[in-house]
Amino acid sequence: MKKIISAIMAILFLVNIAGCSKGSSTSQKSDKKVVLKMWAHQNEPWNNAYKDIIANFEKENPNIRVELETFPYNDFESKVQTSLINKEGGADIYELWGGWALDFAPTGALKEIPKEFAEKVKKECYPATYGALVHKNKLYAVPIEFNIENGGMVVNLHLLKEAGLKVPKTWEELKQTAIKGTRKDGNKFKVKGFDFVNWDSVSYYFLSFILQQKGAYINEDGTAFNFETAEAKKSFAELAKLVKEDKVTNLEGLTGGGNLEGYQQLYAKRAMMVPRGPWIVSEGIQSFNLKLGKDFDYVGVPWYTNQHRFAAETGWSLAINAKSKEAAAAQKFIEYVYQPKVMEKLNIRCTQIPAQKEISQSASYQKEMPYTKVLLDILDNSQFIGRFNTDRLKEVVNDTFVKYCSNEYKTIEEALKELNKKANAFLKKK
Amino acid sequence: MKKDIKISKMIRIVCLVVFSLLFLAPYFWMLSNSFKSTSEILLEPQHLLPTKFTLAGYIKVLTKSPFFRWLLNSLFITIIDTVVILFTSSIIGFVLSKYRFKLRKTMFYIILLTMMVPATAMMIPNFLLISTLGWYDKLIALIVPTFFNAFGIFLCKQYIDDLPKELFESAMLDNASDLKIYFKIVLPSIKPAIGSLAIFTFLALWNDYLTPLIMLNSAKNMTLPLALSFFSAQHMSDLSATMAAASLIMIPASAIFILFQNQFIKGITMSGMK
Amino acid sequence: MKNKKFIYSVIIPTVVFMFIFIVIPIGIGLAISFFNYNPLRDNNAFVGFENFVKLLKDKEFLVAMKNTFVFVFGTVFLNICLSLALAYFISRFKSNKVRSLFRMIFFLPCIAPVVATSVVFSRSIFPTDTGLLNMGLNALGLGSVNWLGDPNVLMISVIVYTLWVDVGYNIILFSAGMDGIPNHIYEASDLDNTSEFRKFFKITLPLLGRTFQFVLVQTLISHFQMFAQFSVLILKDGSKNSGLVLSRYIYKTAFEHKDMGYASAVSLVLFIIIMILSFIEQKKTQVDWEY
């Protein structure tokens, strides 16, 4: 008896393996609620805002339940990827970073956004916010924010006051302020004057400085990077000088070893100025119990030249898993979130710059978020960063920057040559 | 003469005490930090003991995360797996040791070979297999693939090989069934090997991180090690809660070990001496 | 014992199971290393040996290899020295209670999940400004070190952590071996006034032969596969990839860079290293192969 059972088991297993069936099993239709799984990256204020939106959505749609799962940002991309490979165990709705959507959309892993709705999104949102979400003229996700890591920074008002300094208005002033505000104890930083060394800022300011010198870092059709230009050299040197000579910060933000991210250090009074997107403001208020305008403020980062240009990438968006059995309900949820009323609340609570032009220009948004004015004023100076996985670019730029600042290269040319090689290698690997 | 021996004894004791303190320090520091408030850890000059004793970290872990769910997952997986592995290892070891059949040798060689297959090098095919079976993000993905443990089979077989023949003779005369021989004779006489194997499999499964990292996604399915790495990333700025979570994971297991340390140590030495 | 039915009902499921969960994955692993494989795509190109050729030119892989070997041999060497010394010191105590107390202390870190202890070290022991280690250094009047951020120190930090978490295991194995050495042997040399040092090398080490070999190879095998501390302790494999090891490189290539074919080729390298070590051990300990 046992023999027969094991033989049958074995055959079943083998069929299962050899079958490699791509089809999804049919879901059992019952009177039960439709359950949607939604995945997002971990960020307390954001997750709380999602939870409230979900609660309201469920009130309006009593037959749908949405379960929110959150992941640490560093693990999120690989989790999204492994789940998309699988028939089950993934989510129906993903909060997706634009730079990754590029890799997922061509594989057919994401469901196309219906034509009509897609047209509406393209009409109402800033181009950079969906640039990476389009593949062969089809839209694969709906943007929720205008990701802008350029142009804004948090400043710790107590530290400025203690050092008798003011918020800088020009790039030169910023450098002086940073040098004066830096406090050290031997080789240990007590206060970092201007801590731009983090996963995002080094790359963004590097690109933005190139553009501000009327240079370019990628060719017209987006097939090759060029980081060996005079503009790139100047930009790279300008940033590296802040670390190597002015010593207004160290490399800890990229190499690890500290206990907190740069902006968290600012909230803990260990950094004076930290450039980051506006999303960090909510954390200062909620996790560190600080007051905006009293303890810290969000201000503009002065331009490097008088050519105000910067590269913006596609930020967070909502996408639907192509294998989702509840695609209709998922679509419903995304359209619900996209409504200006709902989206505005979400943008405000996550301290995001809206993807929808209408919201960013609305009086109610600007009243709630006065400090974003410095960013709203420069949205039109942005250009889409380009169609490549931005995380991979940041990886190579950061790696080269760390190496250059710790004197691994003889010359800046050598550093940029390697950067160019590595960046083009991953660009070609698609 | 005697003095030299005294001195060398002193050196020995001093060495051991210093190292013991070094080994215990991280535990002490973790506990101390878990009872401090986060702002005390990050913003104030450091003290060895909390200046203001607080349970906020522990409260946050137990209220803001499904900690008991993670604990149950971990226990569920490790207990089921350990029990199954003990059974399969001992019964296969018994068959390989005391029965003669075709391909017996080949089979033993293959089991020896599979013992050498490193799990780390197999992460990709294992993931693809689990994904094909449709077990992704289900606890079964962590349970079933480990049911047969080559090391366990090997250990039990070696041990049963050494059992004296006389043990089995009376049973043969009674014409007892094979299963009866297994339960009544084999199992009781290989207790030490079983104990050793139980400790090993339990520890290996309890501490495994790579497999759940690849196979699981949902917070509700996570095991403790994976959950902790996610938790500490999520509460990056809340060190007190992170240390509280680490303490909650480490302290109970350590307590169990201290209670049963003799069995533990016996079990570990057994596998090494074999 | 002749019951065929019993034999088959045990052996067949075993064979089937081993086939599915061990043989097939090995086959899959080998097969996809010849493809440019991304499971998200429907068509994956067969590329022959391209992945293996790429290995030799891949700087990152070579760095990972170098780091893995530095880590494994550094840690294992120190681990063996430390555990032998401590086990020897422990074994010279006459009281059983004292012996088991010390063994217990050294074994405690082995019980906790590596992830948990890594989190404790990365967030409370190693950090530059609030970490226990730098507090200790500062108290002694020394400057702070960036244990996890400085690429020159990073590997040392990981090795120190790994010693802490793994030494207890070998202490127990060695001291069990030493407990088997009768005390009167030592007493005889105590009368000759032999130094501890000489006693250890003349008496203890030679009598430990088999245990020593077993411990050495097992420790090597386990250290080649270490993964958790490299994921948790270090931020993105450390600055300039100074903390990148093979296990992490496989994971990163497969699950972050979506290149499973190439990652399988890297896996094969790790696979071969472990296999060689295992065979050495089998040969040495001479498992009784004869039937």
Side-chain angles (χ1 to χ4, degrees):
Chain A
M1 190 62 224
K2 219 172 173 161
K3 206 160 113 187
I4 297 168
I5 291 176
S6 8
I8 292 171
M9 283 281 284
I11 291 165
L12 275 180
F13 267 130
L14 291 180
V15 165
N16 209 340
I17 287 157
C20 263
S21 52
K22 275 257 188 265
S24 59
S25 52
T26 49
S27 60
Q28 290 171 329
K29 272 274 171 275
S30 63
D31 304 336
K32 267 206 210 124
K33 277 192 176 183
V34 172
V35 177
L36 286 178
K37 261 196 187 165
M38 172 175 169
W39 283 10
H41 80 292
Q42 285 173 347
N43 176 321
E44 229 166 320
W46 288 39
N47 299 157
N48 292 337
Y50 283 136
K51 278 177 197 155
D52 292 350
I53 289 178
I54 287 169
N56 289 334
F57 174 76
E58 285 172 345
K59 258 188 226 137
E60 284 184 30
N61 301 279
N63 64 326
I64 304 178
R65 208 175 77 230
V66 185
E67 289 175 356
L68 180 71
E69 292 259 5
T70 60
F71 300 84
Y73 177 82
N74 282 340
D75 292 315
F76 194 38
E77 187 184 0
S78 56
K79 283 289 165 202
V80 170
Q81 181 200 325
T82 45
S83 73
L84 283 172
I85 294 169
N86 285 281
K87 290 194 286 291
E88 288 173 15
D92 299 286
I93 302 163
Y94 291 97
E95 183 202 44
L96 204 56
W97 182 254
W100 311 336
L102 276 169
D103 287 348
F104 295 131
T107 62
L110 303 177
K111 200 169 168 306
E112 188 198 336
I113 303 292
K115 271 256 171 319
E116 205 176 318
F117 187 49
E119 287 311 311
K120 186 175 145 79
V121 170
K122 284 185 192 167
K123 205 172 77 217
E124 292 171 358
C125 295
Y126 291 96
T129 64
Y130 57 81
L133 309 175
V134 177
H135 174 68
K136 291 189 175 162
N137 267 329
K138 290 176 180 157
L139 188 69
Y140 285 92
V142 173
I144 52 182
E145 61 152 354
F146 189 122
N147 178 269
I148 175 165
E149 290 286 340
N150 274 84
M153 63 179 177
V154 271
V155 290
N156 187 311
L157 295 174
H158 299 294
L159 289 174
L160 272 178
K161 211 165 138 191
E162 281 164 28
L165 298 163
K166 283 201 293 292
V167 173
K169 291 278 178 283
T170 66
W171 181 248
E172 280 307 314
E173 259 175 46
L174 179 133
K175 285 196 287 191
Q176 290 313 312
T177 309
I179 292 167
K180 284 180 193 141
T182 301
R183 292 216 299 267
K184 286 170 96 169
D185 175 12
N187 61 348
K188 204 167 134 183
F189 276 90
K190 280 225 167 298
V191 174
K192 293 173 180 171
F194 179 62
D195 186 13
F196 68 97
V197 178
N198 60 54
W199 179 248
D200 293 314
S201 300
V202 174
S203 312
Y204 283 121
Y205 282 94
F206 175 49
L207 298 186
S208 146
F209 284 4
I210 295 174
L211 296 176
Q212 289 184 53
Q213 298 170 65
K214 296 188 191 166
Y217 54 84
I218 194 164
N219 63 0
E220 287 288 316
D221 55 1
T223 49
F225 287 113
N226 185 0
F227 291 117
E228 296 189 75
T229 57
E231 294 89 358
K233 207 170 96 180
K234 202 171 159 196
S235 310
F236 200 79
E238 182 74 23
L239 290 171
K241 184 170 169 285
L242 286 167
V243 177
K244 284 173 79 164
E245 290 168 39
D246 304 338
K247 296 198 169 64
V248 296
T249 177
N250 57 14
L251 295 167
E252 220 172 69
L254 284 175
T255 58
N259 226 341
L260 295 170
E261 286 245 11
Y263 67 91
Q264 293 170 329
Q265 289 184 22
L266 179 131
Y267 296 140
K269 279 190 80 171
R270 293 214 295 270
M272 196 173 70
M273 302 184 284
V274 177
R276 247 357 208 337
W279 54 274
I280 59 175
V281 171
S282 51
E283 200 173 326
I285 295 167
Q286 290 190 27
S287 304
F288 287 83
N289 302 321
L290 300 175
K291 280 205 170 58
L292 184 75
K294 188 171 149 290
D295 301 304
F296 72 103
D297 211 344
Y298 193 79
V299 298
V301 176
W303 294 98
Y304 176 52
T305 72
N306 53 16
Q307 288 288 324
H308 301 179
R309 298 295 309 163
F310 69 96
E313 71 170 300
T314 303
W316 292 105
S317 64
L318 295 176
I320 301 172
N321 188 339
K323 297 194 193 78
S324 167
K325 290 167 195 143
E326 308 293 355
Q331 179 65 31
K332 198 168 182 176
F333 179 75
I334 288 185
E335 290 188 24
Y336 174 85
V337 178
Y338 186 79
Q339 298 172 80
K341 273 205 316 281
V342 180
M343 188 63 95
E344 182 171 331
K345 263 210 194 82
L346 177 70
N347 290 151
I348 289 170
R349 287 192 54 185
C350 305
T351 55
Q352 297 158 328
I353 301 296
Q356 296 173 32
K357 296 172 192 165
E358 190 192 331
I359 299 176
S360 71
Q361 287 150 11
S362 77
S364 53
Y365 173 83
Q366 291 180 0
K367 188 168 158 273
E368 280 291 328
M369 310 269 287
Y371 61 90
T372 59
K373 188 171 178 336
V374 287
L375 300 176
L376 294 173
D377 290 347
I378 62 170
L379 291 188
D380 291 332
N381 302 356
S382 69
Q383 65 187 68
F384 178 50
I385 197 164
R387 298 186 55 79
F388 50 84
N389 185 323
T390 48
D391 263 0
R392 298 299 307 277
L393 180 72
K394 288 174 202 170
E395 211 174 289
V396 293
V397 171
N398 290 337
D399 190 45
T400 313
F401 187 76
V402 168
K403 276 187 181 165
Y404 179 72
C405 289
S406 33
N407 302 320
E408 297 266 311
Y409 301 107
K410 287 190 193 67
T411 59
I412 204 158
E413 286 82 2
E414 197 186 332
L416 292 174
K417 195 172 164 179
E418 192 183 18
L419 167 63
N420 215 24
K421 212 174 85 188
K422 280 186 173 166
N424 281 311
F426 85 75
L427 193 64
K428 283 195 184 62
K429 261 209 56 171
K430 278 223 196 100
Chain B
M1 276 281 220
K2 274 271 180 241
K3 218 168 156 183
D4 282 353
I5 291 178
K6 272 235 160 64
I7 287 173
S8 68
K9 193 170 175 179
M10 278 304 295
I11 293 173
R12 280 210 313 260
I13 293 174
V14 168
C15 261
L16 281 176
V17 170
V18 167
F19 268 99
S20 300
L21 290 177
L22 284 177
F23 268 66
L24 291 173
Y27 274 84
F28 161 79
W29 191 237
M30 166 184 83
L31 281 169
S32 166
N33 276 349
S34 72
F35 292 114
K36 290 175 185 171
S37 68
T38 296
S39 61
E40 183 184 337
I41 299 173
L42 294 176
L43 305 182
E44 291 163 34
Q46 300 288 302
H47 298 284
L48 285 180
L49 287 167
T51 44
K52 272 220 308 280
F53 188 89
T54 169
L55 287 171
Y58 288 91
I59 291 165
K60 185 163 180 178
V61 176
L62 297 174
T63 55
K64 284 241 165 150
S65 74
F67 187 84
F68 288 106
R69 175 83 203 222
W70 295 334
L71 182 69
L72 281 179
N73 287 342
S74 267
L75 283 173
F76 180 73
I77 290 169
T78 37
I79 289 171
I80 288 197
D81 261 348
T82 307
V83 170
V84 171
I85 287 173
L86 293 182
F87 172 71
T88 55
S89 300
S90 52
I91 202 161
I92 296 167
F94 170 50
V95 168
L96 281 175
S97 169
K98 295 293 171 199
Y99 291 79
R100 296 287 170 270
F101 53 93
K102 250 195 300 190
L103 297 179
R104 189 180 78 115
K105 233 160 131 180
T106 324
M107 195 164 153
F108 183 59
Y109 284 150
I110 290 176
I111 287 172
L112 266 184
L113 276 175
T114 56
M115 213 161 100
M116 305 175 186
V117 174
T120 317
M122 299 301 292
M123 63 175 108
I124 300 161
N126 283 344
F127 165 75
L128 294 172
L129 177 70
I130 291 297
S131 146
T132 313
L133 292 171
W135 292 354
Y136 179 69
D137 198 28
K138 297 190 176 104
L139 289 186
I140 190 173
L142 300 189
I143 296 173
V144 173
T146 52
F147 273 176
F148 288 72
N149 181 302
F151 169 74
I153 295 171
F154 177 74
L155 190 74
C156 291
K157 180 196 167 294
Q158 297 295 87
Y159 209 87
I160 295 168
D161 280 348
D162 295 344
L163 294 178
K165 275 217 166 61
E166 298 75 48
L167 261 182
F168 298 92
E169 273 164 4
S170 61
M172 301 279 282
L173 289 175
D174 292 353
N175 222 344
S177 74
D178 304 273
L179 271 180
K180 197 170 169 184
I181 293 176
Y182 166 74
F183 280 113
K184 285 270 183 294
I185 297 172
V186 177
L187 270 189
S189 43
I190 61 166
K191 266 201 186 118
I194 293 276
S196 165
L197 186 57
I199 289 166
F200 266 91
T201 45
F202 195 92
L203 274 185
L205 292 160
W206 182 256
N207 295 344
D208 189 17
Y209 172 68
L210 181 59
T211 323
L213 175 71
I214 292 173
M215 306 295 183
L216 297 181
N217 260 330
S218 324
K220 65 175 196 302
N221 289 338
M222 281 183 194
T223 56
L224 281 173
L226 179 65
L228 179 67
S229 79
F230 274 36
F231 184 89
S232 83
Q234 181 174 9
H235 302 279
M236 174 116 188
S237 50
D238 193 344
L239 261 173
S240 156
T242 305
M243 288 304 127
S247 306
L248 282 171
I249 291 176
M250 275 151 79
I251 302 302
S254 306
I256 291 169
F257 159 67
I258 290 169
L259 283 177
F260 298 102
Q261 57 169 310
N262 285 336
Q263 286 84 331
F264 259 86
I265 292 185
K266 268 205 201 79
I268 289 159
T269 45
M270 224 210 83
S271 70
M273 303 315 290
K274 264 281 153 194
Chain C
M1 304 198 188
K2 60 238 167 273
N3 196 334
K4 276 246 157 67
K5 208 170 173 181
F6 174 67
I7 295 178
Y8 284 126
S9 54
V10 172
I11 295 300
I12 290 176
T14 310
V15 171
V16 168
F17 187 94
M18 293 249 167
F19 185 74
I20 291 170
F21 288 101
I22 295 165
V23 179
I24 289 186
I26 293 176
I28 296 177
L30 269 176
I32 60 176
S33 59
F34 293 97
F35 286 86
N36 180 356
Y37 189 78
N38 174 351
L40 280 172
R41 280 197 309 254
D42 282 342
N43 51 338
N44 291 294
F46 178 78
V47 292
F49 284 92
E50 198 178 288
N51 286 325
F52 296 97
V53 173
K54 205 164 93 180
L55 272 182
L56 302 171
K57 286 189 288 197
D58 179 1
K59 268 202 195 132
E60 223 176 337
F61 167 73
L62 296 174
V63 167
M65 275 294 263
K66 191 198 92 195
N67 289 339
T68 307
F69 277 85
V70 167
F71 166 77
V72 169
F73 288 105
T75 315
V76 172
F77 174 76
L78 292 170
N79 183 320
I80 299 279
C81 292
L82 197 59
S83 53
L84 269 175
L86 292 173
Y88 177 70
F89 288 162
I90 292 171
S91 76
R92 298 296 317 271
F93 280 105
K94 292 196 175 58
S95 128
N96 252 334
K97 274 220 166 79
V98 175
R99 287 205 302 231
S100 51
L101 172 75
F102 279 121
R103 279 180 209 169
M104 184 194 85
I105 290 174
F106 292 125
F107 195 72
L108 260 186
C110 306
I111 296 287
V114 172
V115 174
T117 48
S118 294
V119 165
V120 172
F121 269 72
S122 76
R123 310 297 316 279
S124 275
I125 308 289
F126 286 135
T128 38
D129 25 32
T130 52
L132 185 65
L133 252 177
N134 280 348
M135 270 174 67
L137 287 181
N138 297 342
L140 295 171
L142 301 163
S144 298
V145 176
N146 187 351
W147 296 99
L148 298 173
D150 183 340
N152 306 312
V153 186
L154 175 82
M155 208 38 120
I156 296 170
S157 309
V158 181
I159 289 175
V160 166
Y161 162 80
T162 311
L163 285 173
W164 179 80
V165 87
D166 218 56
V167 145
Y169 208 75
N170 291 347
I171 288 180
I172 287 185
L173 291 178
F174 281 140
S175 60
M178 290 172 187
D179 286 356
I181 299 170
N183 230 339
H184 63 79
I185 299 186
Y186 288 119
E187 275 156 14
S189 62
D190 275 348
L191 293 175
D192 299 349
N193 206 359
T194 325
S195 72
E196 287 289 335
F197 213 70
R198 293 213 17 217
K199 261 185 259 178
F200 173 79
F201 282 100
K202 279 204 114 95
I203 304 167
T204 318
L205 211 50
L207 290 171
L208 272 180
R210 267 190 64 179
T211 311
F212 185 82
Q213 258 168 24
F214 171 84
V215 169
L216 180 66
V217 179
Q218 283 306 321
T219 314
L220 281 171
I221 290 177
S222 68
H223 280 58
F224 265 107
Q225 296 188 65
M226 286 192 166
F227 174 84
Q229 65 262 57
F230 289 97
S231 302
V232 178
L233 218 49
I234 308 174
L235 178 77
K236 293 190 191 294
D237 299 313
S239 105
K240 300 184 296 194
N241 279 336
S242 53
L244 181 71
V245 287
L246 280 177
S247 59
R248 274 286 311 169
Y249 192 49
I250 297 169
Y251 180 83
K252 197 162 91 167
T253 314
F255 297 102
E256 285 168 20
H257 297 171
K258 309 171 188 67
D259 192 350
M260 288 202 175
Y262 185 51
S264 293
V266 181
S267 301
L268 203 65
V269 174
L270 183 63
F271 195 102
I272 289 166
I273 294 173
I274 307 266
M275 276 300 204
I276 291 171
L277 283 170
S278 308
F279 273 118
I280 292 173
E281 194 197 0
Q282 292 294 350
K283 275 268 174 305
K284 278 265 199 283
T285 46
Q286 281 164 358
V287 174
D288 78 66
W289 290 83
E290 52 270 12
Y291 273 99

